[in-house]
Amino acid sequence: ICALILSLYLRFLESAIPTVRRSITESKSIKEDIKDKRKLRRDLAKIFARFEEEWLDEYTRVTRSTVDFGYDSTLQVPFNIQDEQAIRAIGEREENERRSVLEARGISSFSFIKDSEVEQSMGVVERGLKRNETVDQIAKNLANNFSDTGKVDHRAQRIARTETATAVMLGK
């Protein structure tokens, strides 16, 4: 999950910087606020949303085995079922429901990450405007926000821990 998140951040950044540059440049003056912050926020959200389908596919693929592990271990303990065929039969009956719940969690997770990163990006842009920074300085600050290894790794690990724990709980 960490690798998936890091990839998502890097690809978002590649598209976000030109969008931010264009939005600031379209303003009459760097000292003037961005004409329409809502438009910039929507544009950044659209950029991030391009990766949703890939996120869902990878998220489901990566967390599926964890959910299955949690489910299988839960089945074995209370029912003391040692027969693997019996466990598999019970598991297969509920597999579609688990997949559906897992996909819904993936959608929710992606939405939270997208909203969080768009707001963080907007914060970088707004701080830069308040400080009268140039377009290049704001773009550099935005890039630093997503390339600061310590920050990015910490965010990615935090998300990965949350999603792994959630996957185990979904299995139970």
Side-chain angles (χ1 to χ4, degrees):
I1 291 180
C2 273
L4 177 60
I5 293 164
L6 292 173
S7 168
L8 190 66
Y9 284 161
L10 292 174
R11 293 181 32 231
F12 170 68
L13 181 62
E14 289 172 3
S15 298
I17 288 178
T19 300
V20 168
R21 283 179 185 276
R22 184 176 58 253
S23 182
I24 295 171
T25 304
E26 287 173 359
S27 296
K28 291 179 185 172
S29 137
I30 192 65
K31 292 181 182 177
E32 178 188 313
D33 215 348
I34 294 176
K35 284 183 180 178
D36 188 353
K37 288 181 187 174
R38 290 175 298 188
K39 181 182 181 318
L40 177 57
R41 186 174 272 111
R42 280 191 310 269
D43 289 347
L44 291 173
K46 284 178 189 175
I47 290 167
F48 214 87
R50 290 182 206 159
F51 309 113
E52 183 173 18
E53 201 62 39
E54 180 183 339
W55 166 266
L56 290 176
D57 290 344
E58 284 298 303
Y59 178 88
T60 303
R61 184 186 67 74
V62 168
T63 56
R64 184 179 206 162
S65 61
T66 305
V67 170
D68 290 344
F69 174 77
Y71 185 81
D72 291 346
S73 65
T74 301
L75 263 184
Q76 290 176 8
V77 174
F79 300 114
N80 198 21
I81 301 173
Q82 298 300 320
D83 182 9
E84 284 193 39
Q85 283 184 315
I87 292 171
R88 230 178 294 132
I90 293 169
E92 286 172 2
R93 282 186 297 222
E94 297 178 2
E95 184 174 4
N96 287 338
E97 182 180 334
R98 287 194 319 270
R99 298 296 167 249
S100 178
V101 169
L102 186 58
E103 187 167 309
R105 175 60 192 182
I107 291 168
S108 172
S109 175
F110 182 84
S111 179
F112 175 78
I113 292 168
K114 177 188 66 145
D115 292 347
S116 174
E117 297 311 322
V118 166
E119 288 309 310
Q120 206 168 50
S121 298
M122 287 300 298
V124 170
V125 171
E126 289 173 355
R127 278 190 301 280
L129 291 172
K130 285 178 185 172
R131 295 177 186 155
N132 293 322
E133 293 176 346
T134 66
V135 174
D136 289 338
Q137 288 170 319
I138 293 172
K140 182 180 177 187
N141 291 342
L142 189 60
N144 288 341
N145 189 53
F146 285 93
S147 61
D148 180 335
T149 308
K151 282 184 185 177
V152 172
D153 282 347
H154 177 71
R155 286 195 312 246
Q157 287 177 16
R158 187 178 64 234
I159 293 167
R161 279 192 305 271
T162 301
E163 296 307 319
T164 301
T166 300
V168 169
M169 295 308 293
L170 285 174
K172 293 185 176 189

